[in-house]
Amino acid sequence: LEKTPFDALVCDFRLAAGVDGLEVVQRLRHSFDPQLPVLMVTGETSPLRLQRLHAAGVAVRFKPVEADVLLQALSNLRTAV
């Protein structure tokens, strides 16, 4: 594993060109740190997709997310590690 170049990751579930944000997160965790703190910001409501996020141990905030809520969620991720 390489040294993690970041403290936490904020990602959208649906990325450009149909890329799955959770797959990106899993690749980054595999490359850098299996415990990498992640906050997924999404408008996704599919129970199966949300279950995948939960199973992966990814924190979720739903769009639109207020700036103070986003900052607090990031702070919570960093202190939980």
Side-chain angles (χ1 to χ4, degrees):
L1 297 177
E2 297 181 37
K3 181 176 175 355
T4 306
F6 35 80
D7 295 326
L9 178 65
V10 177
C11 188
D12 197 332
F13 189 83
R14 294 183 188 175
L15 300 175
V19 175
D20 182 317
L22 183 56
E23 290 177 11
V24 171
V25 163
Q26 290 168 330
R27 286 194 305 255
L28 288 168
R29 281 181 164 175
H30 178 76
S31 296
F32 295 105
D33 179 357
Q35 302 304 314
L36 177 66
V38 175
L39 176 62
M40 190 71 65
V41 178
T42 186
E44 184 61 57
T45 59
S46 163
L48 291 176
R49 290 187 177 126
L50 294 175
Q51 185 177 7
R52 283 182 57 219
L53 294 173
H54 178 72
V58 173
V60 177
R61 292 297 176 271
F62 295 97
K63 294 178 186 180
V65 61
E66 301 279 332
D68 59 333
V69 172
L70 181 64
L71 291 173
Q72 184 62 53
L74 282 171
S75 177
N76 292 346
L77 281 179
R78 297 197 61 224
T79 57
V81 174

